[in-house]
Amino acid sequence: MTRADWVKGAALTSFAVLLLVVGAALGPLVLSDDTASPPVMSDTEIGFTQDMVAHHNQALSMTQRLDRAADPTVRALAQQLADTQRLELGMMLGWLRMARVVTTNPHPMAWMHVDTGPDKSAHPGHAHGGAATSTAAEPPAPTTMPGMATQEELDALSAARGTDAEILFLRLMRRHHYGGIQMAQAAERQLSSGIVKQAARDMLDTQSRESGLLGLLLDQRTAATP
């Protein structure tokens, strides 16, 4: 091989290497990546979180409507409930932002796959943590989402004063918690693992304990009412 042939061969080899390097560098820019990244949240996780955001928002609304002159014990419990719900609400809104989905569920309760109509109980009779069942004296639950109050009930709570306000608040909030417990039970049962499953389990425990306190205060007031 002559020197000219060797130089020519070396030049061609270098050019080929250069093309390979350039191709490797431009490949990700030119070729589309068919591998889809896994979703941040599953459909069940998104549906549960969206619905629980609406549920928590109404709980906060009820605490704000309670008569400011109500018994300090009831007011203190209402404040405790509001603090817990705000903390959980911020957490859930963060998850939805991270998943890049809207905060309002376009199909409420579709993830739950249960009938929440008037023939079904709006709260669990054997809730985790020993939550008590509702009584016939409590306002009937609406059919849209477990435990949610109607606008008429919210207006009545805003107008109520004294012991009447305390009793109505405790009844509505306890029913509201029963609904939250039912939703948390369904999510915890459907999800296999993950932070949303753990949050549902925590809500289940917290709201079961709070339901006991709501029932205790309610029993004290209804027993004293002629």
Side-chain angles (χ1 to χ4, degrees), residues 140-217:
T143 59
T144 53
M145 188 179 296
M148 293 286 274
T150 65
Q151 187 59 50
E152 290 76 13
E153 289 170 333
L154 294 176
D155 292 341
L157 179 59
S158 296
R161 294 293 180 266
T163 303
D164 290 342
E166 296 166 17
I167 291 175
L168 184 56
F169 171 79
L170 293 169
R171 281 178 173 168
L172 292 177
M173 187 60 79
R174 185 168 71 160
R175 190 187 73 193
H176 196 271
H177 267 34
Y178 287 151
I181 289 170
Q182 184 180 354
M183 293 166 66
Q185 282 180 322
E188 199 276 335
R189 190 166 52 244
Q190 292 183 39
L191 299 173
S192 59
S193 62
I195 191 171
V196 178
K197 179 183 176 72
Q198 183 59 51
R201 185 174 296 167
D202 292 341
M203 290 177 192
L204 185 56
D205 291 338
T206 299
Q207 295 196 24
S208 293
R209 290 194 301 269
E210 291 172 346
S211 294
L213 293 175
L214 290 164
L216 177 62
L217 293 176

Side-chain angles (χ1 to χ4, degrees), residues 7-27:
V7 172
K8 183 178 180 180
L12 291 174
T13 301
S14 299
F15 183 67
V17 172
L18 178 61
L19 289 177
L20 289 174
V21 172
V22 172
L26 294 179

Side-chain angles (χ1 to χ4, degrees), residues 14-97:
S14 299
F15 183 67
V17 172
L18 178 61
L19 289 177
L20 289 174
V21 172
V22 172
L26 294 179
L29 301 177
V30 177
L31 300 177
S32 61
D33 186 0
D34 294 333
T35 304
S37 58
V40 176
M41 300 172 70
S42 68
D43 289 343
T44 298
E45 290 173 327
I46 291 173
F48 167 74
T49 303
Q50 288 172 326
D51 285 340
M52 197 56 83
V53 163
H55 214 261
H56 276 39
N57 275 326
Q58 190 181 86
L60 291 176
S61 178
M62 284 195 285
T63 62
Q64 294 164 358
R65 291 168 184 262
L66 175 62
D67 181 15
R68 295 186 180 276
D71 183 273
T73 303
V74 178
R75 292 288 309 173
L77 179 56
Q79 185 61 54
Q80 174 186 321
L81 299 179
D83 291 342
T84 301
Q85 300 270 312
R86 285 194 188 95
L87 182 63
E88 294 175 348
L89 185 59
M91 175 181 65
M92 292 187 292
L93 289 173
W95 293 342
L96 295 176
R97 283 193 296 268

